[in-house]
Each structure stands twice: as C-alpha cells, then as structure tokens.
Amino acid sequence: MAVTLDPKLLDVLACPSEDHAPLRTGTPDDPEADALTCTECGRVFRVEDGVPVLLLDEATGPAAG
C-alpha cells in the first residue's frame, strides 16, 4: 500500500538530518511501500497508520549506519 499524505504536508516534510532534504514516498526498491525516503542521504523512514516516523535512530537505509 502506498503512502497517502496530504500533498501540502509532503511539501513541508524534510529529512531530520543536517541536510534537511525533501522526502519522497516509497523506497528505492518499492515505490509503493509505506515509507518516506530522503532525496539526499537515502534514509528510509517508515509510516505507521499514516504518521511518518521521522526519527534518525529509527531510520533504515544507506546513511543509517
């Protein structure tokens, strides 16, 4: 199931890392995943019940360490 967020909300959400880059829906492997991916660092943040979990400690992906 794809993430369904208000487009206005998606416009203002940004990665919580230092670069504060925009987020896009899905993951690199699955554009329909319930997640948001940073366009700069590649971290993936899950979306639970329509609420993005934008915590660096909970992120997965290339820059998650």
Side-chain angles (χ1 to χ4, degrees):
M1 175 187 272
V3 172
T4 54
L5 294 175
D6 184 318
K8 290 180 184 179
L9 177 62
L10 193 55
D11 283 344
V12 297
L13 287 178
C15 180
S17 69
E18 297 172 358
D19 52 29
H20 304 296
L23 299 168
R24 62 177 164 70
T25 57
T27 67
D29 296 332
D30 183 4
E32 297 295 314
D34 283 336
L36 297 172
T37 301
C38 177
T39 56
E40 182 68 29
C41 68
R43 286 182 175 96
V44 176
F45 301 92
R46 72 183 186 282
V47 177
E48 293 183 0
D49 297 323
V51 178
V53 181
L54 299 178
L55 301 172
L56 291 174
D57 291 343
E58 305 252 344
T60 59

